Amino acid sequence: AYQRVMGTNPSKFKGAKLPAENITWDNARSYCQAVGMRLPTEAEWEYAARAGSKGSRYSDLDGIAWYSANSGSKTHDVAGKQANAWGLYDMLGNVWEWVADWYDQYPTGSATDPPGPGSGTFRSLRGGSWVNNARFARVSYRSWSVPASHYNNFGVRCGGN
């Protein structure tokens, strides 16, 4: 879908059902806009990933995610593992997913749908990837990178409009 819409596929791992990867935050945002959607906020991403569960994962890790222990050092076809309770696949593992927010420490205390900071140096990524160990494949784990970064484990998931 990414190649069809954007006219290019920057991915290291190529295949019709493989996730788009090796894309920058701007590429991710542009793709979502091109399909009439947007990048989710961190709060939206985590809410969708949890799908009502309270744990750090929505099921057994090997059943839901491609990560360093089971990936064979590559990405895998989208939807090749079990979906979460809301039918969303690959919320953990396969590729990190850019989100809309700038990265900063979360404020202390409880918050509902907290807004991200208005500016920053780094953009947030969620979900872990095929190259990372199990510690990173948790719905609450947050990572970050400069928006111009593009690695073969950085991808995109659009949400909302």
Side-chain angles (χ1 to χ4, degrees):
Y2 186 91
Q3 182 170 342
R4 185 175 62 253
V5 171
M6 302 303 284
T8 185
N9 182 358
S11 299
K12 174 182 178 181
F13 304 107
K14 306 239 191 254
K17 294 184 177 184
L18 293 177
E21 32 87 357
N22 207 26
I23 58 175
T24 67
W25 183 88
D26 284 326
N27 295 144
R29 183 183 61 174
S30 294
Y31 171 73
C32 290
Q33 289 173 340
V35 297
M37 299 181 88
R38 62 177 173 77
L39 287 171
T41 65
E42 277 199 85
E44 290 168 335
W45 186 96
E46 188 169 328
Y47 181 78
R50 285 189 184 282
S53 72
K54 301 286 185 210
S56 62
R57 299 184 179 104
Y58 46 89
S59 192
D60 172 65
L61 186 57
D62 282 328
I64 62 173
W66 296 109
Y67 65 110
S68 63
N70 68 4
S71 71
S73 300
K74 62 182 182 178
T75 61
H76 290 267
D77 288 353
V78 171
K81 294 281 188 175
Q82 174 188 343
N84 71 10
W86 292 349
L88 300 173
Y89 292 91
D90 303 314
M91 292 302 294
L92 299 178
N94 225 1
V95 294
W96 285 103
E97 297 174 355
W98 287 109
V99 294
D101 297 351
W102 291 101
Y103 181 85
D104 201 351
Q105 297 301 314
Y106 274 156
T108 58
S110 180
T112 300
D113 200 13
S119 63
T121 302
F122 305 105
R123 290 287 186 173
S124 295
L125 292 134
R126 301 300 293 261
S129 80
W130 62 269
V131 75
N132 299 112
N133 67 39
R135 175 173 84 93
F136 298 93
R138 297 188 332 256
V139 294
S140 61
Y141 192 88
R142 306 170 66 226
S143 191
W144 66 93
S145 193
V146 294
S149 295
H150 55 94
Y151 296 104
N152 60 13
N153 64 334
F154 284 12
V156 59
R157 177 184 303 266
C158 302
N161 50 17

